Amino acid sequence: MKLKSLVRLVVSLLCISQMAFSQTKMPAKKIDALKKELIDDIEKEKVFTQQMVDMVFSFGELGFQEVETSKYLTDILRKNGFTVQEGIAGIPTSWMATWGSGKPVIAIGSDIDCIPKASQKPGVAWHEPIIEGAPGHGEGHNSGQPLNVTAVLALKKIMEREHIQGTLVMWPGVAEEQLGAKAYYIRDGYFKNIDACIFTHVASNLSVSYGDGGGNGMISVRFNFSGESAHSAGAPWRGKSALDAVELMNVGWNYHREHMEPTQRSHYVVVDGGDQPNVVPSQASVWYYFRERTYQKIKQMYDDAIKMGHGAELMTGTKMAYTVLGSAWPGHFNKPIAETMYQNIRMVGLPVWSADDQLLARAVQKEINSPKTDQRQRPIDGLDTKLDSLTPPEKVSMGGGSDDIADISWNVPTVVLRYPANIPGLPGHNWANAISMATPIAHKGVTAGAKAEALTLLDMFVKPQLLDSAWAYFKNVQTKDTKYIPLISATDKPAIDLNKKIMAEFRPEMKKYYYQPEQYKTYLEQLGIKYPTLKPAGTTKAATAASTDN
Ligand SMILES: [Zn+2]
């Protein structure tokens, strides 16, 4: 035993010193000068950044169908010297783009998918879809990759000139709304050689947090029942209704809900309830998300649901099969990297909002009847003008949403940079969250985020002690008592057929609205939208075309 631990100590010391010796070191004065240069360069690139934000907004692609988005982004990266590997983890719209050489290897990611039925004209302060019923960026996932591209290209220029060693790996969060890809990236080994990861996500302030973020992990499962069809009036006794099984499973789960802890969240949609009433449904499916605070509790929900599915099967004489469509761990983020990033956030500061930006924000808040304070009791009034503080871990959490970046965070030291491209107080996953996403609010917020990210990346490449302390936190604090066990099995497959039909229905019409930067300075200009478009004072009716809100 003693010899073993001595060997382990020597090995870990060697590893640490190896990382330190192979990395570029730089005096503090020089780092400060390079940071100022990065801030200036990224500011100069603001038209390029705006074009990327507007372009991805105009694609509006749902999870696993991000064809145009991925093509557009990888084209830019290829033109800038990156080597692109497409279709990673068996996901056609996924990729990894690599530039540089040697250690450290830093992964930079952000989500790219959008929300069903969230099509919305940017800059218009009420519900007005570009295309009725079409998907749209009602989560703001059009902005994170443009931020990353701007930050990384500015940094790459400096790395080349200053001979800074290291590798940049860019990758997309495909189908984040289905929690559909990141656990597969981990399972299939794509993060094995990564030393740290920076992820970016849209928000309404420039901020970062560390430790347990208080969210839930989850597993997404579709239960399919197969029965026997029959004439619903002529011979109903010969039918075995798959829809009955779905309904009985849901009833069972909703009774079970009474006896679950308050931190759980579970919700479902019936994706197939049969074809028409006079045919006993031979096929029916229900799609569940099961969310909880720990792996063990999520697994318990999953096991309970399978039992309930079997119960419904017995009651109806049908056959049940189930398929995992996605999963996510509860997130835990790296303290040393977050602290460093927060110093850089302070150096960058919030964007300066114009009177028009604030007018739009307040009009949208009024339109959707936004609450007056957020969950941390801070006032909601227009866009944030005070920088958020470094967010410590949640002490007590009642649970909440999930993000599969968490699976990366349990395998590699990771932080999530949140940047101010959206309006505070909105419901999320909603058309209202798309309003700011191709306007000066998003453009300025993304530029600010790109600066904070580039400065933090520079720190990672030229301050070897940062990654050493990141890994020390990861090993000695984060994973001391909690070990990552994947929620997906070795045989589960990414649900790459999701959303295929919806995109096939809407894409031909959506294509007519793809952004054309050669012809129009901005997407607002292309759509002929005056910024901001507000309801005339004293009226509740929309000024232009009738609102389609319902
Ligand atoms: Zn998101």
Side-chain angles (χ1 to χ4, degrees):
M1 265 320 263
K2 256 188 179 172
L3 184 69
K4 246 191 195 167
S5 33
L6 187 68
V7 169
R8 217 177 287 149
L9 181 70
V10 171
V11 168
S12 63
L13 280 174
L14 276 174
C15 287
I16 287 173
S17 57
Q18 223 174 21
M19 172 97 81
F21 279 121
S22 63
Q23 258 191 271
T24 311
K25 277 186 201 154
M26 210 174 254
K29 246 190 165 171
K30 173 90 183 171
I31 297 174
D32 280 347
L34 290 179
K35 284 188 174 180
K36 289 200 180 84
E37 191 186 335
L38 278 169
I39 289 176
D40 288 347
D41 278 0
I42 289 170
E43 188 61 34
K44 281 182 205 143
E45 292 299 332
K46 63 185 179 191
V47 172
F48 171 57
T49 307
Q50 166 253 313
Q51 287 182 347
M52 288 190 285
V53 169
D54 288 3
M55 186 66 92
V56 181
F57 182 91
S58 77
F59 292 145
E61 295 178 300
L62 290 168
F64 288 117
Q65 309 304 325
E66 309 95 332
V67 179
E68 303 279 6
T69 305
S70 282
K71 187 184 174 305
Y72 172 73
L73 293 168
T74 51
D75 279 355
I76 294 174
L77 291 168
R78 272 198 194 94
K79 273 183 204 137
N80 284 280
F82 279 74
T83 305
V84 179
Q85 188 187 356
E86 285 175 2
I88 68 161
I91 301 168
T93 52
S94 198
W95 41 272
M96 262 189 163
T98 308
W99 176 86
S101 62
K103 288 263 178 188
V105 184
I106 310 295
I108 303 118
S110 197
D111 301 321
I112 55 174
D113 58 325
C114 77
I115 300 285
K117 299 187 178 75
S119 174
Q120 169 67 31
K121 287 187 181 169
V124 177
W126 62 84
H127 189 197
E128 181 145 323
I130 300 173
I131 297 165
E132 181 70 49
H137 275 290
E139 163 76 5
H141 285 175
N142 61 305
S143 55
Q145 287 291 352
L147 182 159
N148 292 344
V149 171
T150 298
V152 160
L153 295 187
L155 180 76
K156 175 177 170 269
K157 209 168 80 183
I158 282 179
M159 287 176 76
E160 280 171 323
R161 190 189 69 206
E162 303 291 329
H163 306 290
I164 296 169
Q165 183 188 296
T167 307
L168 295 159
V169 178
M170 309 275 288
W171 60 278
V174 164
E176 191 279 330
E177 297 304 340
Q178 285 77 34
L179 295 304
K182 298 183 190 90
Y184 294 98
Y185 298 164
I186 291 295
R187 188 191 69 183
D188 296 353
Y190 288 96
F191 280 74
K192 275 245 159 68
N193 300 316
I194 305 288
D195 295 309
C197 173
I198 297 185
F199 195 71
T200 54
H201 198 281
V202 58
S204 53
N205 206 306
L206 191 56
S207 64
V208 64
S209 61
Y210 63 89
D212 179 349
N216 281 349
M218 63 84 80
I219 188 152
S220 153
V221 190
R222 187 175 55 209
F223 295 85
N224 303 300
F225 292 89
S226 308
E228 200 67 61
S229 77
H231 193 302
S232 305
W237 44 87
R238 292 179 64 181
K240 290 188 172 84
S241 170
L243 178 61
D244 288 356
V246 162
E247 292 196 88
L248 286 164
M249 178 175 180
N250 294 346
V251 167
W253 187 261
N254 288 331
Y255 273 96
H256 178 55
R257 206 184 283 277
E258 182 185 348
H259 308 287
M260 290 164 77
E261 292 184 46
T263 41
Q264 73 88 23
R265 301 275 196 287
S266 50
H267 20 261
Y268 57 84
V269 290
V270 176
V271 281
D272 180 5
D275 300 304
Q276 57 186 61
N278 65 345
V279 180
V280 172
S282 60
Q283 295 293 325
S285 310
V286 56
W287 181 10
Y288 269 89
Y289 279 18
F290 303 109
R291 309 194 203 230
E292 250 293 2
R293 295 276 297 133
T294 63
Y295 166 83
Q296 284 75 13
K297 288 180 182 178
I298 300 162
K299 184 74 174 41
Q300 184 65 54
M301 288 174 90
Y302 183 22
D303 294 343
D304 289 344
I306 293 168
K307 278 188 209 150
M308 251 164 234
H310 286 308
E313 193 178 29
L314 282 174
M315 284 186 274
T316 53
T318 56
K319 282 270 160 273
M320 186 269 282
Y322 57 93
T323 313
V324 171
L325 298 182
S327 70
W329 257 59
H332 189 116
F333 300 99
N334 194 269
K335 191 177 180 189
I337 302 176
E339 285 169 339
T340 299
M341 181 174 267
Y342 191 67
Q343 291 308 312
N344 292 321
I345 283 174
R346 288 180 53 161
M347 194 185 277
V348 173
L350 283 173
V352 179
W353 307 117
S354 69
D356 284 344
D357 299 335
Q358 289 290 13
L359 273 174
L360 178 67
R362 291 200 174 99
V364 176
Q365 287 164 346
K366 193 173 166 224
E367 175 73 14
I368 56 129
N369 203 11
S370 135
K372 297 283 172 272
T373 52
D374 69 8
Q375 282 176 340
R376 284 156 69 194
Q377 300 310 313
R378 293 166 305 185
I380 294 173
D381 179 23
L383 298 165
D384 283 3
T385 52
K386 196 172 157 268
L387 201 59
D388 214 346
S389 49
L390 177 63
T391 319
E394 289 282 341
K395 285 198 183 78
V396 183
S397 169
M398 293 307 288
S402 323
D403 189 326
D404 53 358
I405 186 58
D407 288 69
I408 313 262
S409 82
W410 283 98
N411 287 276
V412 172
T414 300
V415 295
V416 178
L417 169 68
R418 292 185 292 269
Y419 51 92
N422 218 317
I423 298 166
L426 307 189
H429 293 181
N430 183 282
W431 53 266
N433 291 67
I435 292 174
S436 71
M437 292 315 302
T439 71
I441 297 171
H443 303 146
K444 285 184 244 183
V446 168
T447 292
K451 291 172 186 171
E453 180 171 64
L455 304 191
T456 310
L457 285 167
L458 180 69
D459 284 328
M460 287 174 158
F461 284 110
V462 298
K463 293 178 179 167
Q465 70 278 13
L466 173 56
L467 292 183
D468 291 343
S469 36
W471 276 100
Y473 175 88
F474 182 83
K475 285 180 181 151
N476 306 329
V477 181
Q478 181 182 348
T479 60
K480 189 169 167 261
D481 301 314
T482 308
K483 305 291 172 207
Y484 178 76
I485 311 164
L487 280 155
I488 53 169
S489 73
T491 52
D492 287 327
K493 287 195 185 84
I496 56 173
D497 289 333
L498 281 177
N499 299 317
K500 234 178 205 163
K501 272 191 194 156
I502 305 176
M503 283 315 296
E505 181 188 347
F506 286 104
R507 200 187 289 281
E509 190 59 21
M510 291 172 79
K511 271 188 179 165
K512 298 176 193 163
Y513 295 91
Y514 286 175
Y515 175 44
Q516 296 166 281
E518 323 74 43
Q519 267 175 276
Y520 302 98
K521 265 199 203 148
T522 65
Y523 194 46
L524 285 171
E525 191 186 306
Q526 179 173 330
L527 296 175
I529 294 167
K530 177 185 158 283
Y531 180 75
T533 297
L534 312 175
K535 288 175 180 174
T539 68
T540 49
K541 279 259 159 66
T544 63
S547 166
T548 49
D549 202 353
N550 45 40

